[in-house]
Amino acid sequence: MLVLGIESSCDETAASLVEDGFTVRSSVISSQIAKHAQFGGVVPELAAREHLKNIAPVVESALREAGASLNDIDAVGVTNRPGLVPALLVGNAYAKGLAAARNIPIVGINHFLGHIYGAFLENKELLEDKNNFPILALVVSGGHTAIVKIPADGKASILGSTLDDAAGEALDKAAKALGLPYPGGPVIDRLSKEGNPAAFAFPRSLTGAAGKAVSPEHRFDFSFSGVKTSLLYALKGDESIVKTRLNDLAASFQEAVIDVLDMKSRDAAKAIGAKVVCLCGGVACNSRLREKIATSCQKRGRRFVCAPPKYCTDNAAMIGGLAWHYLKHGGNADVFGINARLESSLGTLPFAPLA
Ligand code: KG4
Ligand code: ZN
């Protein structure tokens, strides 16, 4: 079954053709980063206008790259939640029009679950074996930071999430404070390679001594506003350090964020007896984070899975792929039942495990 995936929840217009959930025949992404960079972040109305311009050419490119035509598409999967509603509306309207005109099924996909699925696009065998469950997913993007438990029945539950900024958002804001361009995550990643992560003692939020949780109810929650404030104070004391110690500042800030992600995901994996730890979302591109979580897993005998960067940041292959699983389980929605939504109801991840 050939599914057309469509993604427009933030500042990437993406389309992808995915066969039977795993074979990515094309994945086209048109990024608007340059348009939003001058504002230091994504402007929702501007994003919507850009999606409108890009959606048809992006779908056409995806078809061309796959050597397919509209007649070959069996179903459409579209991100319908959560995200910037004006941006989501464009992809949803396009997908609904296409599904109605071609009289094919359409499924609304949760972007957050799409990110988790992205890690399995090239790891099908992991989903085929019940013994690989429960899986623990650490979802780290510009909009989300959460620890998710995925048991063998696919009933995903959130064990913890951020109380304020997402990890990517914190990195982007820190970069802005350091005078670096948007999006700052990749720049901080690059600068950190030449910096000392122990140069500045930024706090490890919601953790006490030796990484122990501050309070049981926030055991797996995150907060990144404190570490951000701490960076601002460091700069306030002496602004010249941005010029003289930029690499150390970047490396120390990044390490403070990553340490908490590592500590909490490690504790959560232990608590649920996770067999596999999956790292996903845009921040999963971060080289230090990948290295740290991989090492933690290796030490504890857990399998570590992370998508290549092209399936970590926003893309439509993760959407088209996940849509196939819902369709296989009879979850195709009525075209008028799909609506762009701000909230993020999780529901069941139907991919776990493949029969
Ligand atoms: O998943 P994504 O493309 O969009 C959202 O759903 O939010 O994630 C974007 C986020 C941005 O905050 C960006 O700075 C961050 O991912 N990011 C990185 C890296 N590459 C992208 N953060 C740290 N290191 C990277 N290499
Ligand atoms: Zn995303």
Side-chain angles (χ1 to χ4, degrees):
M1 178 190 273
L2 189 62
V3 179
L4 168 67
I6 292 181
E7 158 64 42
S8 74
S9 64
C10 192
D11 59 346
E12 261 94 29
T13 320
S16 171
L17 286 169
V18 188
E19 189 129 27
D20 295 342
F22 294 95
T23 308
V24 181
R25 285 182 44 186
S26 65
S27 177
V28 176
I29 303 167
S30 166
S31 175
Q32 310 169 3
I33 283 179
K35 300 265 174 193
H36 298 279
Q38 57 182 307
F39 303 105
V42 180
V43 183
E45 300 304 329
L46 177 59
R49 283 199 292 274
E50 288 301 308
H51 285 309
L52 202 53
K53 251 194 277 178
N54 297 332
I55 186 91
V58 164
V59 170
E60 279 156 25
S61 301
L63 286 167
R64 212 170 27 248
E65 255 182 40
S69 79
L70 277 182
N71 292 335
D72 299 320
I73 299 170
D74 299 305
V76 182
V78 61
T79 302
N80 72 332
R81 67 192 191 281
L84 304 171
V85 171
L88 283 167
L89 278 169
V90 178
N92 281 238
Y94 186 92
K96 283 158 77 171
L98 190 69
R102 293 262 306 103
N103 196 23
I104 52 177
I106 179 167
V107 202
I109 299 291
N110 181 314
H111 180 84
F112 179 87
L113 296 183
H115 271 304
I116 297 178
Y117 186 69
F120 296 98
L121 273 171
E122 295 184 349
N123 288 290
K124 183 181 176 192
E125 90 288 355
L126 276 179
L127 301 180
E128 289 171 331
D129 185 353
K130 259 197 167 111
N131 294 320
N132 290 326
F133 290 79
I135 293 173
L136 184 107
L138 174 61
V139 188
V140 273
S141 71
H144 300 279
T145 296
I147 293 179
V148 185
K149 176 185 174 185
I150 307 160
D153 65 4
K155 291 202 173 85
S157 58
I158 294 186
L159 302 182
S161 58
T162 183
L163 302 175
D164 40 56
D165 288 355
E169 189 182 358
L171 289 166
D172 292 343
K173 287 178 179 168
K176 196 172 177 182
L178 295 171
L180 303 169
Y182 173 84
V187 189
I188 291 204
D189 188 0
R190 185 166 41 79
L191 290 172
S192 298
K193 293 195 168 96
E194 309 293 320
N196 174 6
F200 292 86
F202 294 129
R204 272 55 178 164
S205 53
L206 288 183
T207 59
K212 292 269 186 302
V214 164
S215 60
E217 77 269 27
H218 292 308
R219 193 172 166 206
F220 301 130
D221 283 334
F222 301 94
S223 163
F224 295 109
S225 56
V227 62
K228 213 175 53 187
T229 308
S230 175
L231 170 70
L232 292 178
Y233 272 113
L235 301 183
K236 212 172 162 193
D238 174 11
E239 286 199 3
S240 69
I241 58 171
V242 174
K243 285 203 183 94
T244 56
R245 303 189 64 192
L246 183 59
N247 295 78
D248 285 349
L249 282 165
S252 301
F253 186 87
Q254 177 181 275
E255 199 69 7
V257 170
I258 289 177
D259 260 356
V260 180
L261 294 171
D262 180 40
M263 281 186 241
K264 300 231 170 188
S265 57
R266 207 196 299 155
D267 283 357
K270 186 175 173 201
I272 68 161
K275 303 292 191 323
V276 172
V277 173
C278 136
L279 175 65
C280 48
V283 182
C285 293
N286 186 278
S287 48
R288 178 79 179 131
L289 177 62
R290 287 168 95 102
E291 176 190 298
K292 257 209 144 147
I293 307 272
T295 306
S296 287
C297 289
Q298 202 178 16
K299 276 190 194 155
R300 289 160 188 83
R302 300 188 211 287
R303 186 142 169 206
F304 170 69
V305 41
C306 189
K310 64 181 175 182
Y311 298 142
C312 286
T313 46
D314 286 352
N315 66 88
M318 64 187 193
I319 305 301
L322 182 53
W324 176 77
H325 293 268
Y326 285 100
L327 290 160
K328 214 177 105 190
H329 288 80
N332 56 311
D334 157 33
V335 70
F336 298 107
I338 308 259
N339 271 313
R341 301 208 305 268
L342 191 64
E343 52 79 40
S344 169
S345 51
L346 275 193
T348 300
L349 265 172
F351 64 72
L354 287 180

